[in-house]
Amino acid sequence: MGRWTQYDEDSYRLPEGMKRVGYDSDTGRYQFRGADGSLWEGPQGAEFGEMRRGTPCRLLIVGGPSAPAVTDDHEDEEADIGVRPDGYRPLAVDANGSILPNRTSRTDSAYRMILPFVLIVAAFLLLVFRLVHSSTPANPPETAHCTGNSEAYNIVRGDTCWALSQTRGCTVQDILNVNQGLDCEALRPGQAICLPPSHMA
């Protein structure tokens, strides 16, 4: 048993004569009975906290035959609602026949608390996806500024100066003349060069 465990027990936390008598899972509230038989409700979603006087209702008190029964002064309203033996209860309606809104449960508040975190994670993932799959190419093709009748051409894998000269009907020296400082041994894909006018008939 822990050092401070006694501080979490009803005998320490509740006022004198107050006993825990029930729990309403729909509202998430504990019910307590005072020494005078009055009914009290705890805060929603908490085992202990500020209590307020509860509405009269019919409770099954566990505590022996000497425990006073807490009953209401009104007729049993559940009989009017039509609760079936399997526990099904129709939705509550007002005098006009409109369905009354349901109370929020503890699971709703938990979802509301985690929703901003989920939205931040989703926005972060979308940003990463956008950066990784950006629409702009990583290496845009180079452009060559060719003079005279020469034409710009971008090198593709497998191109050589000799193969280009054969397709254009010129010599390798003609290609070197229109591209000052071109190294035919170091051609790379995407590189822009100028090609002399084609002499192919």
Side-chain angles (χ1 to χ4, degrees):
M1 187 157 108
R3 183 174 179 184
W4 309 106
T5 309
Q6 74 272 16
Y7 297 125
D8 289 330
E9 295 177 358
D10 286 355
S11 60
Y12 183 83
R13 299 287 298 265
L14 296 177
E16 190 174 337
M18 188 76 69
K19 287 183 75 173
R20 185 187 312 265
V21 293
Y23 177 72
D24 184 356
S25 62
D26 293 334
T27 61
R29 297 178 189 274
Y30 284 95
Q31 280 88 31
F32 303 90
R33 181 172 39 86
D36 60 351
S38 59
L39 182 67
W40 295 80
E41 277 186 330
Q44 183 176 8
E47 193 171 354
F48 300 103
E50 183 178 348
M51 292 188 281
R52 61 183 177 83
R53 190 174 289 275
T55 56
C57 64
R58 188 178 302 276
L59 289 175
L60 174 63
I61 307 296
V62 179
S66 62
V70 179
T71 59
D72 59 351
D73 299 329
H74 306 294
E75 294 286 322
D76 187 6
E77 295 176 1
E78 289 186 356
D80 298 335
I81 296 176
V83 177
R84 296 191 327 208
D86 61 357
Y88 172 79
R89 178 177 309 185
L91 295 174
V93 293
D94 61 7
N96 298 331
S98 303
I99 296 175
L100 297 174
N102 287 339
R103 303 176 193 166
T104 23
S105 65
R106 281 191 292 176
T107 54
D108 292 343
S109 62
Y111 288 133
R112 275 193 222 117
M113 191 178 346
I114 201 169
L115 181 64
F117 175 74
V118 171
L119 290 176
I120 290 171
V121 169
F124 176 75
L125 291 175
L126 285 173
L127 180 64
V128 168
F129 182 78
R130 176 111 180 169
L131 290 175
V132 169
H133 298 288
S134 120
S135 59
T136 58
N139 297 319
E142 297 178 7
T143 55
H145 301 286
C146 301
T147 58
N149 294 335
S150 58
E151 301 172 8
Y153 177 78
N154 287 80
I155 299 293
V156 295
R157 183 179 294 271
D159 279 346
T160 61
C161 290
W162 184 83
L164 291 172
S165 67
Q166 293 300 308
T167 57
R168 302 287 291 186
C170 63
T171 64
V172 173
Q173 189 58 45
D174 291 337
I175 294 176
L176 294 174
N177 289 341
V178 293
N179 295 283
Q180 298 298 321
L182 178 66
D183 183 4
C184 285
E185 299 298 322
L187 295 178
R188 65 183 189 283
Q191 179 181 1
I193 64 169
C194 296
L195 294 179
S198 176
H199 299 301
M200 301 291 288

